[in-house]
Structure formats: structure tokens, C-alpha cells
Amino acid sequence: MEMQKLYLLVPLAPLVGAIIAGLFCRVIPRWVAHTVTIAGVAIACVASFVIFRDVMAGNTHNGPVYQWLTSGDYHFEVGFLIDQLTVTMMLVVTSVSLMVHIYTIGYMQDDPGYNRFFSYISLFTFSMLMLVMSNNFMQLFFGWEAVGLVSYLLIGFWYTRPTAIFANLKAFLVNRVGDFGFILGIGLVLAHFGTLDYAAVFAKAPELAADTRLALFGKGEGVALMTAICILLFVGAMGKSAQVPLHVWLPDSMEGPTPISALIHAATMVTAGIFMVARMSPLFELSDTALSFVIIIGSITALFMGFLGIIQNDIKRVVAYSTLSQLGYMTVALGASAYSVAIFHLMTHAFFKALLFLAAGSVIIGMHHDQDIRNMGGLRKYMPITWITSLIGSLALIGTPFFAGFYSKDSIIEAVALSHIPGAGFAYFAVMAGVFVTAFYSFRMYFLVFHGAERFGLPAPHHEDQAAHPTVEHHVAHDGSHADQDHHADDAHDEHHHGLAPGEKPHETPWVVTLPLIMLAIPSVIIGYIGIGPMLFGDFFKDAIFVNAEAHPVMAELATHFHGAFAMATHALATPVFWLAFLGVALSWFLYMKRPDIPEAIKTRSGWLYTLLDNKYYFDKFNDFFFAGGARLLGRGLWKGGDAGLIDGIIVNGSARLVGWFATVVRLFQTGHIYHYAFTMIIGVFVLMTLWVTRA
């Protein structure tokens, strides 16, 4: 009973902080807002560690908290499933969220929406915790939609900016597509299983997968029920975890403040889809078709989103496209039935990607909110803490041996190499090529920001390419006035243009910014070394994740090649993966430190290829033309044909014209002469008598 109260404390503590900071944001001082929200998340974090120790002692829990409603034979409950997978996510969410909360004190200090922002991020933490702790699909969907709702509020936090509102709306619409598939999948589960409880669904799944077929259009045999359920659920994951083609919202979400980028892209919203598929492993293991679909979508995302990171000049967008690519790696692992590897990479990625986002925010503060990496250079000596933590995050991201990202990323590559799921061959090529691409764009950003010649404090250059227009933070000037910033060429001389003045030097950020960087850098180095043994090859996930070892023996085969974390790292020095990463770093150093003229020449001569990347494979333009344009065309057709033509033209105005015509005809009989009326009456009587005689 005491542990159940502790389970409730984890999501409710951040919720209480969010309510206090939100409802009373106009009356409470700033220190109260950040104190109650940070205290709430800190309590949740400490409680999560206590629960983790309890679970490691063998005490798992699966039960309802209360029954929300009953509809016929269906019961909809709020309940908690506390196992190894859950506590892993709880620790990641609460610890990263705590660092983001502390960081926000320094980053948002001049913003008039300070209290509101703390309320949002605390509410975001509550929503994600409800999602990962759920023991049924209804609560999962509640958390799913709640993190979506709060993410829209955060992406559009600076609601006076048209670009923020556009990004907000884009995220909302794209996720509606994914959520439509997700709720259809949940509907199929309820219709065929008769319950939304995980344990009951997983117990019945093998029987229904073998016997039940889902007819298409009501005729004959169609798609296997389990395949349909898994693909529909994964469509929801494609929206939340930004997989191609539902990825387009995530880069634009950079319109929100940098702490949100770290929270959304590292530890919470975008990892929800990965967590959900891992939780549904008993279902996905029953459909090779669904696994093949998952691995192909993930491999496309991992490689082709990485290419886009190469041409970005906004420091936050480089990290955003890196997030897209790494989410693709996690999805590939899911498709290869290496669910534990996907969760392991989710955990390591949460720390080093949050580190990179917060370090980018530290750079933005030091540069007076200029985000263009071409206006930086040589920051290493001005911002030493930001420099070293950024280097650690970058080394972890590219999979440097002994760093956290190495153990999870290399395990994904090895798992894909051993997989026999259709599409695994292409996936292996994609993740191998992605190693080089990731190393190249990561250290391109690192070298341009922290090394080379100092390019700050100079007149802003005129950049014509689309990539030269980074989405720059809307911050509030120290006098309290809003300072919207835009780096488009037309606004190059805007009075609110940020950046260092001529002769001004960057500066290291205050301790509330640098402390979270240091705290996140520590697990970015050691968490992989500590976790790989128990999480991948031990019994850590034994009851939380199900793998059909006979049909998908990837993890068993992977275990035969593992001889310890130290041996894995030392052996990696002789593998193609390491040398691909090394080549990417070396090439970025040569092109951007030694011969910066070469990238410009390549850009000039690449022609259509650069145009294709610059336009992000034309996904946005296709969506605008086909879906938005199609919707406008449909709306215009319904307006012209349906509203104006049918309703107004025929039903409303047509009925009026019909009455008018009938009245015109009837008026012909209204002559005003009594003998005409008498004649009409006689004729009428004659007709009636004739009909009566005829019938008689």
C-alpha cells in the first residue's frame, strides 16, 4: 500500500507544481513558480529512484487506481504497470526534466511568460509520466494526447510570432494524422479483445493472431488482424516519434524556447512512440509484416534526415535533424526485434541529446541570441564549460568508443546485421551510412562554433539560401519589451536584430545553465558502459519485453558476440563503424577548418542535389500542394457546389422561386369576376359527380 502511494506521487507531484504555477501565474513571484515546479519534479525523480530499487528487488506492480467509467461489458480504468521498462522511462523523464527545469531559470529569466513556461513544462512531465506508467490503452491514449497538447502550447509559447503559430499548427495537424491511426488501432484492440488492459490483451494475442482475419471492405480475407493493429499503432508512433513522412513538424518545433527542444526531443514526446512499440512487443512479435514496415520506415528516417543536417546553419536545427536520424535508429532496432536495444538507445540518447540542445541554448545566450553557426567560431576560449560539454555530447552522438552513444548505437547496427526481417538489408546499409553522415554534420557544427576564426561581431552577411534563415529565438529585451528576431534577408537590418555588437565578446553562461550541462555530461559518458550488460544481455527486461526467440533470434545471437563493455569498446577500434565515424570527423575538420572554400564550391556545383536538400525533399511543398491545396479545393467545391449551388441555389432560393412560380400560376385564376368563380365551381362539382358515378 505504501508503494502504491509512492506510485501516485510520481505523476501528481509535477501536476501540483503545474497547477500552482499556472493558475496563479499572474500573482505569484517568479521564485515561487520555479520553486514549486522544480520541487515537484525533484520529488518525482527521487520517488522514481526509490521505485527503481524496489523493482530491482523483484517487486513489480500491475493494478488499477480507480475505475473511470463502465460501458456495457467494457471497463475503462486508470492504473499503473510498474516494471523494468516503466522505471527506466520514469528515471529518464524525471532526471532530464529536472535538469531542464533548473536550466530554464537562467534561460527564460527575461521572459514575461516565465511562470506560464514553468507551468507548461511541469505539466508536460506529468503527461509523459502518465503515459509510461499506464497499464491500459485508455490511459496510454490520455498521456499520448496530453503530451501532444502541451507540446503545442510550448511550440507556440511565443504566440505573438506568426512563425511560432505556424509551427504549432503544423505539429498539431501532422500529429492528428498519426493519432487517427493510433486510435483506430486501439479501437480494433477493444473490438476484438474486449478489453484495453495490457495483460489481458497480451494473453489473448497469440490465439487471435492465429484465427482472426480482418476483412477488407467486408469481403473475404484481407489483412491479418494483428498486422492491422500493429501497423495502425505504429502510425501513431510515426507521428509522435517523427518518422517519415510524418516527420515534418519536428524541425519547425524549434520555434519554441530551447529548453523545450531538450524536453520534447530528448526525453519525452518523441520517445513516446518508441516506448509504445516496445511495450507492445507481444503484439509486434506476431506480425513479421508489421516489423518489416517498422524497420523500413526507421531506416529511411535514419539516413535521409541525417543528410538534411549537413546543410543546416541554425545551431538548433542541426541538432533537431540529428534527433530525427537517431529516432530512426531506435525504430530500426524495434523492427529488428531488438526492443531492449531501442530502449537502451532511447535512454543514452536522452542524456546526450538533452546535453546538446541545452549546450546550443548556452551558445545562443553567449552569442546574444544569434543562432547562425556561420557567425560564430572560436568560442572555446570564451565558453569553456559549454565547449567541453558540447564536445562530450558530440562524441557520444557519433558513437565514440566508451561513450554512452557508442554502446547503444553499435548494438543497433549489429542487431540489424543479424536480422532476417524483410528490409533488414536496406536498413543495415542505411544505419552504416548514417554513421558517417552523423559524424560529419555533428562535427561540422562543433568546429564552426568552437574552433577556427572568430566571426562574431561582424556585419551580418547576406545569405540567399533557405538554410541561411535559421529560426532564431524570440527573446525579451532587458527592458521587458518583446524582441522578435528573424534572420531572413529582408529583415537583416531589423531594429530587433540580435547578435554581438562589433568588438563585443561572447561570455560563459551562469551556473543555472552550466550546472545542468555538467550533470547531463556525466551520464553521457558512463551510462552506456554501466547499462549495456544488464539491459541488453542480462535479465533486466525479462518480464517487460517479449521476444519470440525462435522466430527472431537477434538478441540471442547478439549475446554470443558480447564479452563485456570494455572488450566491446576496444574491439570497436578495428571495426568499419569506428572508421566511418572517424572519416566523417576528419572530413568535416578538413572542409571547414582547412579548406572552407571547398564546401562553397560543392554547394555551387551540386545544383539540383543541394536544391533538393534545401527544400527538405519537398515534403512541405507536397503537403501544401496536395493535402492543404486539396483541402482548399475540396472546401471551394463544397462551397460553390454544395453551399452556393445546392443549398442556397436549389433548396433555399429554389424553393422560393418554386413558390413564386406557383403563385404566379395561381394568380391567373384570381380575375375578380364573380361569374368566373361560379363557372369554376360548377366545373368542379361536375368533375366530382363524374368521379362518384364512375366509382359507383
Side-chain angles (χ1 to χ4, degrees):
M1 190 66 182
E2 291 300 322
M3 288 305 298
Q4 291 186 22
K5 292 180 180 178
L6 198 61
Y7 300 154
L8 277 170
L9 183 64
V10 174
L12 292 183
L15 178 62
V16 170
I19 291 173
I20 294 173
L23 293 183
F24 306 103
C25 65
R26 294 184 179 275
V27 295
I28 60 176
R30 291 186 169 205
W31 68 267
V32 173
H34 71 237
T35 299
V36 294
T37 52
I38 291 175
V41 176
I43 290 170
C45 187
V46 172
S48 297
F49 274 99
V50 175
I51 295 169
F52 174 79
R53 292 186 60 184
D54 188 57
V55 170
M56 291 300 97
N59 301 316
T60 59
H61 172 81
N62 181 18
V65 175
Y66 70 93
Q67 188 167 291
W68 182 53
L69 65 84
T70 300
S71 178
D73 296 329
Y74 300 130
H75 301 284
F76 300 93
E77 298 175 332
V78 174
F80 293 146
L81 171 57
I82 308 297
D83 60 8
Q84 295 85 347
L85 178 58
T86 303
V87 293
T88 299
M89 293 298 298
M90 288 165 62
L91 288 176
V92 170
V93 171
T94 55
S95 57
V96 174
S97 179
L98 180 59
M99 294 300 102
V100 171
H101 275 69
I102 296 172
Y103 178 95
T104 301
I105 296 174
Y107 197 86
M108 300 293 289
Q109 62 180 341
D110 295 321
D111 199 291
Y114 187 89
N115 293 358
R116 177 168 58 94
F117 188 82
F118 271 97
S119 175
Y120 286 173
I121 59 176
S122 192
L123 185 61
F124 201 107
T125 307
F126 157 77
S127 303
M128 189 65 186
L129 288 169
M130 288 295 288
L131 187 156
V132 301
M133 295 175 69
S134 63
N135 74 338
N136 61 83
F137 284 93
M138 187 209 74
Q139 186 177 332
L140 173 70
F141 189 70
F142 164 77
W144 195 269
E145 292 302 303
V147 294
L149 168 65
V150 185
S151 71
Y152 313 142
L153 295 174
L154 289 167
I155 293 169
F157 179 77
W158 287 313
Y159 53 84
T160 57
R161 298 178 62 189
T163 50
I165 299 304
F166 177 81
N168 184 344
L169 181 61
K170 189 175 184 179
F172 179 83
L173 293 176
V174 173
N175 275 277
R176 293 283 64 74
V177 176
D179 291 353
F180 179 69
F182 189 59
I183 199 169
L184 285 179
I186 294 175
L188 279 179
V189 169
L190 183 61
H192 289 274
F193 290 85
T195 180
L196 293 177
D197 183 75
Y198 290 161
V201 170
F202 297 159
K204 294 181 181 179
E207 176 188 347
L208 291 179
D211 300 337
T212 306
R213 306 288 290 184
L214 184 67
L216 292 177
F217 308 111
K219 297 180 180 179
E221 290 190 348
V223 181
L225 172 65
M226 204 54 60
T227 297
I229 289 174
C230 291
I231 289 179
L232 287 171
L233 291 176
F234 181 67
V235 168
M238 289 169 64
K240 275 289 182 291
S241 294
Q243 299 296 291
V244 171
L246 302 181
H247 67 284
V248 293
W249 67 270
L250 190 141
D252 285 349
S253 68
M254 296 297 102
E255 289 290 342
T258 296
I260 290 317
S261 302
L263 200 56
I264 291 178
H265 298 171
T268 52
M269 180 174 170
V270 296
T271 61
I274 308 300
F275 163 79
M276 184 273 294
V277 175
R279 176 61 80 195
M280 300 300 135
S281 57
L283 304 183
F284 279 84
E285 283 298 285
L286 298 172
S287 175
D288 281 3
T289 303
L291 290 175
S292 181
F293 181 74
V294 171
I295 201 171
I296 290 172
I297 292 295
S299 56
I300 292 172
T301 306
L303 180 59
F304 289 95
M305 294 303 104
F307 286 144
L308 296 182
I310 296 174
I311 67 165
Q312 300 301 315
N313 294 310
D314 181 331
I315 188 171
K316 285 175 62 179
R317 284 186 182 267
V318 176
V319 187
Y321 280 107
S322 168
T323 299
L324 280 170
S325 181
Q326 296 307 305
L327 288 168
Y329 273 84
M330 298 176 208
T331 305
V332 165
L334 296 171
S337 290
Y339 305 99
S340 57
V341 180
I343 296 299
F344 184 46
H345 192 53
L346 183 157
M347 180 186 71
T348 61
H349 174 265
F351 291 110
F352 65 72
K353 187 53 61 68
L355 171 60
L356 285 171
F357 268 117
L358 297 186
S362 180
V363 169
I364 293 168
I365 295 173
M367 289 294 299
H368 287 198
H369 313 301
D370 185 352
Q371 295 182 207
D372 195 329
I373 59 178
R374 294 168 298 182
N375 299 336
M376 301 178 188
L379 296 186
R380 178 170 62 96
K381 64 181 180 180
Y382 300 105
M383 308 180 71
I385 298 177
T386 303
W387 161 67
I388 192 64
T389 52
S390 294
L391 178 59
I392 290 172
S394 299
L395 291 172
L397 172 61
I398 69 171
T400 307
F402 293 102
F403 285 78
F406 158 75
Y407 292 102
S408 55
K409 196 172 183 179
D410 268 37
S411 297
I412 292 174
I413 296 171
E414 291 181 34
V416 174
L418 296 169
S419 176
H420 300 290
I421 290 291
F426 170 70
Y428 181 69
F429 164 77
V431 294
M432 285 293 286
V435 171
F436 170 81
V437 174
T438 301
F440 182 79
Y441 69 66
S442 297
F443 273 81
R444 169 184 176 266
M445 179 183 72
Y446 169 77
F447 287 132
L448 286 176
V449 172
F450 294 104
H451 294 272
E454 298 177 1
R455 298 179 298 278
F456 45 80
L458 301 176
H462 180 82
H463 302 304
E464 296 181 355
D465 56 294
Q466 183 265 345
H469 309 320
T471 303
V472 181
E473 299 282 340
H474 161 101
H475 271 261
V476 179
H478 291 283
D479 61 359
S481 62
H482 287 266
D484 289 324
Q485 185 178 8
D486 195 333
H487 269 238
H488 286 73
D490 293 340
D491 300 329
H493 302 290
D494 184 79
E495 62 178 343
H496 296 306
H497 178 79
H498 287 268
L500 296 172
E504 190 177 7
K505 300 297 182 183
H507 56 84
E508 186 60 275
T509 44
W511 71 268
V512 289
V513 174
T514 55
L515 177 63
L517 298 183
I518 297 170
M519 297 300 293
L520 288 169
I522 296 171
S524 297
V525 176
I526 66 173
I527 197 71
Y529 189 93
I530 296 171
I532 186 169
M535 293 185 73
L536 300 194
F537 308 111
D539 58 358
F540 186 83
F541 289 124
K542 63 177 181 178
D543 298 321
I545 290 175
F546 171 77
V547 177
N548 186 344
E550 293 183 3
H552 310 126
V554 168
M555 291 307 298
E557 294 182 24
L558 199 60
T560 62
H561 301 288
F562 181 72
H563 303 290
F566 185 83
M568 180 179 176
T570 53
H571 172 70
L573 300 176
T575 62
V577 177
F578 172 78
W579 290 105
L580 278 171
F582 178 80
L583 182 61
V585 174
L587 185 61
S588 65
W589 173 81
F590 176 74
L591 291 180
Y592 293 97
M593 292 291 99
K594 291 298 181 182
R595 292 294 305 275
D597 57 303
I598 295 180
E600 284 299 320
I602 294 174
K603 171 185 165 183
T604 303
R605 297 176 183 177
S606 60
W608 65 270
L609 179 59
Y610 180 82
T611 303
L612 178 68
L613 296 177
D614 190 39
N615 286 279
K616 297 170 285 188
Y617 307 117
Y618 292 97
F619 274 105
D620 286 331
K621 292 189 176 181
F622 174 78
N623 290 337
D624 183 62
F625 170 77
F626 186 78
F627 293 108
R632 289 192 295 269
L633 184 63
L634 176 63
R636 191 176 296 111
L638 292 174
W639 166 45
K640 292 288 189 182
D643 190 21
L646 178 63
I647 298 175
D648 286 345
I650 296 177
I651 298 177
V652 178
N653 296 332
S655 61
R657 284 193 294 268
L658 178 63
V659 170
W661 173 83
F662 184 75
T664 301
V665 173
V666 171
R667 191 168 59 232
L668 297 176
F669 298 96
Q670 303 297 320
T671 64
H673 300 292
I674 193 169
Y675 59 86
H676 285 170
Y677 300 151
F679 179 74
T680 301
M681 292 171 63
I682 293 171
I683 294 298
V685 170
F686 176 76
V687 171
L688 290 174
M689 291 294 294
T690 302
L691 291 174
W692 181 73
V693 171
T694 303
R695 292 186 63 184

